[in-house]
Amino acid sequence: MKLSHMYRRLDTLARRSNHRAMDYLSLEDVGAMYKHDNQLREQLRRKRSERIQDKDPSFHAIGTPLEDVLLYASTSIAIGDFQHDLPIVVVACVEELTKTGIYQSGLFRALPSRDRHLQLIDIFDKSTDFGAHFSMRGQTMPDVCALLSTFLSSLPSPLIDPHIYSALWQWSVKPSVKREDARREQQEGEEEERRAKSGPPRPNLTKPTERVDLHLTTDGELEGNQVCIAQILLRFVPIGNLSLLIYLLGFFTQLPLCPDNGIDFEDIARIFGYRLLGGSAKAVSQKMMLWLLTRWPQISEMLLAENCGMSPSSSPAQPSSSIVLAGEEASRRLPDQNEKRKVSGDRSSESPDAMSASLPPDSPEDPNSSKKSSSDDEDGDSGGSRYRKKRELNAEQGRSKTQRHSTRKDKSGKHNHLLNVIINSKA
């Protein structure tokens, strides 16, 4: 996709929040990054086809700019429909941790063996193939975690350019942080009011207290625009940096799924946020890392597609949850209604006269009771009670008419009987 089209799309999204794309990221800056990125793409293509190895003999894979690592100490793997060039040491560590390490407690917190840690660094930093043919099987989890952390900490520069970092914080992350801070202040104010009125609250033994954290409160449709902006900004990141970020975030989002390791998104953000994203303040980088981790399924969905920034999973165009639930409830009701029609012989096609004729005499049921019952569901309790009272009144009137009719018949019968007795006595 053309760079100008992506930038124009970003400007359109930014203006929805009364911003402009040029406030933090100019088209010239993006163009310079894109031009430099094209050179790296061409070199990576040559590396795949020709296996170039014209590197400096003193080259080291750890502590070297990521571009050089990708040229001389990388491997190509498939993620989805795309090939990504990644450092050999990162792929080796992630694959080994995925097999065994993520199920162990103390992940990224247990101390490694110092001697073995230095041996692994030498293998992936100075050896001829930079560890491409070295098997990590049998290495302890603390040693593997320490090797991965050492490589990421030794990168000379963060994965996200400072211009992109500022725009990502202001347009995508900061709005969520502000909403969460306002929500927390409101809850704290309500808690203080309750304490002032009734003293300290009693502990709830049946329902655990819910933690209010940034990553637990995604705001659905409100964040659709923020996710779109994040997708486009990440597309401006150089291809090598973006591939590594995609690979690591995909790995990090799987860690909390294994509760035995005792690690959550806050821990990951604290350990790797500032190392990978940079920034001037560690707290801000940690919040940004936390935001990316908790929204990564939505961000990565269309990140590499042509419609990047146009179709987030939390888009307002999607039906709301209430509509979906209502549709599911209606679909569940349909089979019950069909069963009732089958049992009753499916008399919905009969005429109103035929239906009324089939009712027993003096029946309190109204021929249009089915319509009224459906109206009860639509109008709610007040409408339903009104129709029920009306039907009860009609039934009462019907019963009184029947009683009066039977009384008249009894009286007329007794009168005729008396007349016959008098006539017979005279005769």
Side-chain angles (χ1 to χ4, degrees):
M1 189 173 180
K2 290 185 178 181
L3 181 64
S4 58
H5 292 174
M6 292 286 290
Y7 189 82
R8 192 179 303 116
R9 187 177 298 174
L10 174 65
D11 186 67
T12 301
L13 293 171
R15 289 180 183 274
R16 294 179 183 177
S17 303
N18 299 322
H19 297 288
R20 297 177 302 174
M22 63 182 298
D23 292 341
Y24 294 96
L25 192 66
S26 66
L27 183 59
E28 290 76 13
D29 294 333
V30 177
M33 289 186 292
Y34 190 74
K35 182 178 180 180
H36 182 74
D37 195 35
N38 279 340
Q39 297 176 356
L40 177 61
R41 289 173 185 264
E42 183 61 30
Q43 289 177 322
L44 291 175
R45 292 191 188 98
R46 288 178 51 207
K47 171 183 176 294
R48 294 194 193 104
S49 59
E50 303 174 10
R51 306 299 301 175
I52 57 174
Q53 293 292 337
D54 51 346
K55 66 178 184 300
D56 188 346
S58 61
F59 173 81
H60 294 273
I62 297 178
T64 304
L66 184 59
E67 297 179 8
D68 297 334
V69 177
L70 295 179
L71 288 175
Y72 306 117
S74 67
T75 182
S76 182
I77 66 171
I79 303 177
D81 298 331
F82 301 92
Q83 289 292 127
H84 296 265
D85 292 279
L86 298 167
I88 295 174
V89 59
V90 173
V91 175
C93 292
V94 169
E95 288 185 351
E96 182 61 26
L97 291 175
T98 303
K99 295 175 183 177
T100 58
I102 61 176
Y103 305 100
Q104 303 178 31
S105 61
L107 187 67
F108 289 109
R109 294 186 296 273
L111 295 178
S113 169
R114 184 177 181 276
D115 294 337
R116 188 54 183 163
H117 178 52
L118 295 177
Q119 292 175 3
L120 291 175
I121 289 178
D122 289 338
I123 293 173
F124 288 93
D125 181 41
K126 303 176 182 178
S127 62
T128 306
D129 58 355
F130 301 103
H133 297 90
F134 178 77
S135 175
M136 294 286 284
R137 184 177 181 180
Q139 304 300 321
T140 63
M141 178 270 294
D143 293 339
V144 178
C145 290
L147 178 62
L148 178 61
S149 299
T150 299
F151 174 81
L152 297 178
S153 301
S154 301
L155 289 174
S157 58
L159 299 182
I160 297 182
D161 182 87
H163 296 88
I164 299 177
Y165 178 94
S166 300
L168 183 62
W169 167 256
Q170 292 291 336
W171 296 336
S172 294
V173 183
K174 190 175 180 179
S176 298
V177 175
K178 292 177 65 176
R179 284 194 296 267
E180 182 61 28
D181 291 341
R183 189 181 293 113
R184 185 179 293 109
E185 291 178 1
Q186 181 180 0
Q187 291 179 351
E188 291 176 354
E190 294 175 354
E191 184 67 22
E192 291 180 358
E193 291 181 0
R194 285 195 296 267
R195 290 180 179 179
K197 293 180 179 179
S198 59
R202 296 180 179 179
N204 189 352
L205 301 179
T206 59
K207 183 178 180 180
T209 303
E210 183 179 358
R211 293 179 59 191
V212 181
D213 295 313
L214 173 64
H215 76 285
L216 295 178
T217 52
T218 55
D219 292 310
E221 296 179 355
L222 295 176
E223 292 191 338
N225 196 61
Q226 298 167 226
V227 171
C228 287
I229 292 176
Q231 289 176 335
I232 296 179
L233 290 175
L234 291 178
R235 283 289 293 270
F236 293 154
V237 173
I239 183 60
N241 299 25
L242 180 59
S243 294
L244 181 56
L245 189 63
I246 290 174
Y247 188 67
L248 290 175
L249 289 177
F251 169 65
F252 290 152
T253 53
Q254 303 302 312
L255 299 184
L257 300 179
C258 304
D260 294 338
N261 58 41
I263 196 169
D264 54 22
F265 285 152
E266 287 91 344
D267 298 325
I268 299 171
R270 188 187 70 255
I271 298 172
F272 296 103
Y274 184 70
R275 299 179 185 181
L276 297 178
L277 305 181
S280 57
K282 289 186 177 181
V284 174
S285 298
Q286 291 173 6
K287 290 181 179 180
M288 182 181 293
M289 187 69 171
L290 193 59
W291 191 90
L292 290 172
L293 288 170
T294 52
R295 280 88 174 164
W296 188 244
Q298 293 81 12
I299 296 173
S300 62
E301 184 177 359
M302 295 293 177
L303 179 58
L304 301 178
E306 292 185 359
N307 55 348
C308 169
M310 294 183 62
S311 179
S313 59
S314 57
S315 173
Q318 291 187 348
S320 62
S321 58
S322 59
I323 297 177
V324 174
L325 291 175
E328 293 176 353
E329 182 66 22
S331 63
R332 287 196 296 267
R333 289 179 180 177
L334 284 177
D336 297 335
Q337 294 177 357
N338 294 333
E339 291 296 330
K340 291 179 180 179
R341 290 176 181 175
K342 290 179 181 179
V343 172
S344 61
D346 195 5
R347 295 164 59 189
S348 60
S349 59
E350 297 182 8
S351 63
D353 296 338
M355 294 178 65
S356 60
S358 62
L359 291 174
D362 299 330
S363 173
E365 288 290 335
D366 193 344
N368 297 325
S369 61
S370 61
K371 296 181 180 179
K372 293 180 180 178
S373 63
S374 63
S375 300
D376 293 345
D377 295 337
E378 295 175 0
D379 296 340
D381 295 337
S382 60
S385 59
R386 186 170 63 252
Y387 284 119
R388 286 194 297 271
K389 291 180 180 179
K390 186 175 180 180
R391 288 199 297 269
E392 291 174 359
L393 181 60
N394 292 337
E396 185 65 28
Q397 292 176 355
R399 285 193 293 270
S400 61
K401 289 180 181 179
T402 304
Q403 292 175 359
R404 288 196 299 270
H405 180 69
S406 60
T407 303
R408 289 171 186 167
K409 290 177 66 178
D410 293 341
K411 289 182 178 180
S412 61
K414 292 180 180 180
H415 181 69
N416 293 335
H417 178 69
L418 290 173
L419 286 177
N420 291 332
V421 171
I422 293 172
I423 293 172
N424 292 333
S425 61
K426 290 182 178 181

